[in-house]
Every structure is written in C-alpha cells, then in structure tokens.
Coordinates of all heavy atoms in Angstrom, one line a residue:
A1034 N -11.9 4.1 -28.4 CA -12.0 4.5 -27.0 C -13.1 3.6 -26.3 O -13.0 3.2 -25.2 CB -12.3 5.9 -26.9
Q1035 N -14.2 3.3 -27.1 CA -15.3 2.5 -26.6 C -14.8 1.1 -26.3 O -15.1 0.5 -25.2 CB -16.4 2.5 -27.6 CG -17.6 1.6 -27.1 CD -18.7 1.5 -28.2 OE1 -18.5 1.9 -29.3 NE2 -19.8 0.9 -27.8
I1036 N -14.0 0.5 -27.2 CA -13.5 -0.8 -27.1 C -12.5 -0.8 -25.9 O -12.6 -1.8 -25.0 CB -12.8 -1.3 -28.4 CG1 -13.9 -1.5 -29.4 CG2 -12.1 -2.6 -28.1 CD1 -13.3 -1.8 -30.8
A1037 N -11.7 0.2 -25.8 CA -10.8 0.3 -24.7 C -11.5 0.3 -23.3 O -11.1 -0.3 -22.3 CB -9.8 1.5 -24.8
G1038 N -12.6 1.1 -23.3 CA -13.4 1.2 -22.1 C -14.0 -0.2 -21.7 O -14.0 -0.5 -20.5
S1039 N -14.4 -0.9 -22.7 CA -15.0 -2.3 -22.4 C -13.9 -3.2 -21.9 O -14.1 -4.0 -21.0 CB -15.6 -2.9 -23.7 OG -16.7 -2.1 -24.1
I1040 N -12.7 -3.1 -22.4 CA -11.6 -3.9 -22.0 C -11.2 -3.6 -20.5 O -11.0 -4.4 -19.7 CB -10.3 -3.7 -22.9 CG1 -10.6 -4.4 -24.3 CG2 -9.1 -4.3 -22.3 CD1 -9.6 -4.0 -25.3
R1041 N -11.2 -2.3 -20.2 CA -10.9 -1.8 -18.8 C -12.0 -2.3 -17.9 O -11.7 -2.8 -16.8 CB -10.9 -0.3 -18.8 CG -9.5 0.3 -19.1 CD -9.4 1.7 -18.7 NE -10.3 2.6 -19.6 CZ -9.9 3.0 -20.8 NH1 -8.8 2.7 -21.3 NH2 -10.7 3.8 -21.4
K1042 N -13.2 -2.3 -18.3 CA -14.3 -2.8 -17.4 C -14.2 -4.3 -17.2 O -14.3 -4.7 -16.0 CB -15.7 -2.5 -18.1 CG -16.8 -2.8 -17.3 CD -18.1 -2.4 -18.0 CE -19.3 -2.8 -17.1 NZ -20.6 -2.5 -17.8
G1043 N -13.8 -5.0 -18.2 CA -13.6 -6.5 -18.0 C -12.4 -6.8 -17.1 O -12.4 -7.7 -16.3
A1044 N -11.3 -6.0 -17.3 CA -10.1 -6.2 -16.5 C -10.4 -5.9 -15.1 O -9.9 -6.6 -14.2 CB -9.0 -5.3 -17.1
N1045 N -11.1 -4.8 -14.8 CA -11.5 -4.5 -13.4 C -12.4 -5.5 -12.8 O -12.2 -5.9 -11.6 CB -12.2 -3.1 -13.4 CG -11.2 -2.0 -13.6 OD1 -10.0 -2.1 -13.4 ND2 -11.8 -0.9 -14.1
A1046 N -13.3 -6.1 -13.5 CA -14.1 -7.2 -13.0 C -13.3 -8.4 -12.7 O -13.5 -9.1 -11.6 CB -15.2 -7.5 -14.0
Y1047 N -12.4 -8.7 -13.6 CA -11.5 -9.8 -13.3 C -10.6 -9.6 -12.1 O -10.5 -10.5 -11.2 CB -10.5 -10.0 -14.5 CG -9.4 -10.9 -14.3 CD1 -9.5 -12.3 -14.2 CD2 -8.1 -10.4 -14.1 CE1 -8.4 -13.1 -14.0 CE2 -7.0 -11.2 -13.8 CZ -7.2 -12.6 -13.8 OH -6.1 -13.4 -13.5
L1048 N -10.0 -8.4 -11.9 CA -9.2 -8.2 -10.7 C -10.0 -8.2 -9.5 O -9.6 -8.8 -8.4 CB -8.5 -6.8 -10.9 CG -7.3 -6.7 -11.8 CD1 -6.8 -5.3 -11.8 CD2 -6.2 -7.7 -11.3
K1049 N -11.2 -7.7 -9.5 CA -12.1 -7.7 -8.3 C -12.4 -9.1 -7.9 O -12.3 -9.5 -6.7 CB -13.4 -7.0 -8.6 CG -14.3 -6.9 -7.4 CD -15.6 -6.1 -7.8 CE -16.5 -5.9 -6.6 NZ -17.7 -5.2 -6.9
R1050 N -12.7 -10.0 -8.8 CA -13.0 -11.4 -8.5 C -11.7 -12.1 -8.0 O -11.8 -12.9 -7.1 CB -13.6 -12.1 -9.7 CG -14.0 -13.5 -9.5 CD -14.6 -14.2 -10.7 NE -14.8 -15.6 -10.4 CZ -16.1 -16.1 -10.3 NH1 -17.1 -15.3 -10.4 NH2 -16.2 -17.4 -10.0
Q1051 N -10.6 -11.9 -8.7 CA -9.4 -12.6 -8.3 C -8.9 -12.1 -6.9 O -8.6 -12.9 -6.1 CB -8.3 -12.3 -9.3 CG -7.0 -12.9 -9.0 CD -5.9 -12.6 -10.0 OE1 -6.0 -11.5 -10.7 NE2 -4.9 -13.4 -10.0
Y1052 N -9.0 -10.8 -6.7 CA -8.5 -10.3 -5.4 C -9.4 -10.8 -4.2 O -9.0 -10.9 -3.1 CB -8.4 -8.8 -5.4 CG -7.1 -8.3 -6.2 CD1 -6.9 -7.0 -6.4 CD2 -6.2 -9.2 -6.7 CE1 -5.8 -6.6 -7.1 CE2 -5.1 -8.8 -7.4 CZ -4.9 -7.5 -7.6 OH -3.8 -7.1 -8.3
R1053 N -10.7 -11.0 -4.5 CA -11.6 -11.5 -3.5 C -11.2 -12.9 -3.1 O -11.1 -13.2 -1.9 CB -13.1 -11.5 -4.0 CG -14.0 -11.8 -2.9 CD -15.5 -11.7 -3.3 NE -15.8 -10.5 -4.0 CZ -16.4 -10.3 -5.1 NH1 -16.8 -11.4 -5.8 NH2 -16.7 -9.2 -5.6
A1054 N -10.9 -13.7 -4.1 CA -10.5 -15.1 -3.8 C -9.1 -15.1 -3.1 O -8.9 -15.9 -2.1 CB -10.5 -15.9 -5.1
V1055 N -8.2 -14.3 -3.6 CA -6.8 -14.3 -3.0 C -6.9 -13.8 -1.6 O -6.1 -14.3 -0.7 CB -5.9 -13.5 -3.9 CG1 -4.6 -13.2 -3.2 CG2 -5.7 -14.2 -5.2
S1056 N -7.7 -12.8 -1.3 CA -7.8 -12.3 0.1 C -8.3 -13.3 1.1 O -7.8 -13.3 2.2 CB -8.6 -11.0 0.1 OG -9.8 -11.1 -0.5
L1057 N -9.1 -14.2 0.7 CA -9.6 -15.3 1.5 C -8.4 -16.2 1.9 O -8.2 -16.6 3.0 CB -10.7 -16.1 0.9 CG -12.0 -15.3 0.8 CD1 -13.0 -16.2 0.0 CD2 -12.6 -14.9 2.1
F1058 N -7.6 -16.5 0.9 CA -6.4 -17.3 1.1 C -5.4 -16.6 2.0 O -4.9 -17.2 2.9 CB -5.7 -17.6 -0.3 CG -4.4 -18.3 -0.2 CD1 -4.3 -19.6 0.1 CD2 -3.2 -17.6 -0.3 CE1 -3.1 -20.3 0.2 CE2 -2.0 -18.2 -0.2 CZ -1.9 -19.5 0.1
F1059 N -5.2 -15.3 1.8 CA -4.3 -14.6 2.6 C -4.7 -14.5 4.0 O -3.9 -14.6 5.0 CB -4.1 -13.1 2.0 CG -2.9 -13.1 1.1 CD1 -3.0 -13.4 -0.2 CD2 -1.7 -12.7 1.6 CE1 -2.0 -13.3 -1.1 CE2 -0.6 -12.6 0.8 CZ -0.7 -12.9 -0.6
I1060 N -6.0 -14.3 4.3 CA -6.5 -14.3 5.6 C -6.3 -15.7 6.3 O -5.8 -15.7 7.5 CB -8.0 -14.0 5.6 CG1 -8.2 -12.5 5.2 CG2 -8.7 -14.2 7.0 CD1 -9.7 -12.1 5.0
A1061 N -6.5 -16.8 5.6 CA -6.3 -18.1 6.2 C -4.9 -18.3 6.5 O -4.5 -18.8 7.6 CB -6.8 -19.2 5.2
V1062 N -4.0 -18.0 5.6 CA -2.5 -18.2 5.8 C -2.1 -17.2 6.9 O -1.2 -17.6 7.8 CB -1.7 -18.0 4.5 CG1 -0.2 -18.0 4.8 CG2 -2.1 -19.1 3.5
F1063 N -2.6 -16.0 7.0 CA -2.2 -15.1 8.1 C -2.6 -15.7 9.4 O -1.8 -15.6 10.4 CB -2.9 -13.7 7.9 CG -2.7 -12.8 9.0 CD1 -1.5 -12.1 9.2 CD2 -3.7 -12.6 9.9 CE1 -1.3 -11.2 10.2 CE2 -3.5 -11.7 11.0 CZ -2.3 -11.0 11.1
V1064 N -3.8 -16.2 9.5 CA -4.2 -16.8 10.8 C -3.3 -18.0 11.2 O -2.9 -18.1 12.3 CB -5.7 -17.2 10.7 CG1 -6.1 -18.0 11.9 CG2 -6.6 -16.0 10.6
I1065 N -3.0 -18.8 10.2 CA -2.1 -20.0 10.5 C -0.7 -19.5 11.0 O -0.2 -20.0 12.0 CB -2.0 -20.9 9.3 CG1 -3.3 -21.6 9.0 CG2 -0.9 -21.9 9.4 CD1 -3.4 -22.3 7.7
L1066 N -0.2 -18.5 10.2 CA 1.2 -18.0 10.6 C 1.1 -17.3 12.0 O 2.1 -17.4 12.8 CB 1.7 -17.0 9.6 CG 2.1 -17.6 8.2 CD1 2.4 -16.5 7.2 CD2 3.2 -18.6 8.4

C-alpha cells in the first residue's frame, strides 16, 4: 500500500505537469482558431 501510494503521488505529479503544458498549447490553438 505504501509503494502504491508513492506510485499514485508520482503519477499525479506527472499529470499535473503534463496538463499544465498541454493547457498552454490548447489556449494558443483556441485563440488561433
């Protein structure tokens, strides 16, 4: 359970970073469209 919690924490950090970068791209493309 401890290892699974660490994996979840890492996955959430990854998603947060990825979605921050992707949202900048989406904003830019939205404005262009």
Side-chain angles (χ1 to χ4, degrees):
Q1035 179 189 9
I1036 292 169
S1039 297
I1040 291 170
R1041 273 191 293 277
K1042 185 177 177 181
N1045 288 336
Y1047 165 77
L1048 283 178
K1049 184 178 179 181
R1050 182 178 177 111
Q1051 181 184 20
Y1052 286 174
R1053 188 178 307 133
V1055 168
S1056 49
L1057 294 174
F1058 171 78
F1059 267 86
I1060 290 169
V1062 173
F1063 173 78
V1064 169
I1065 292 169
L1066 290 173

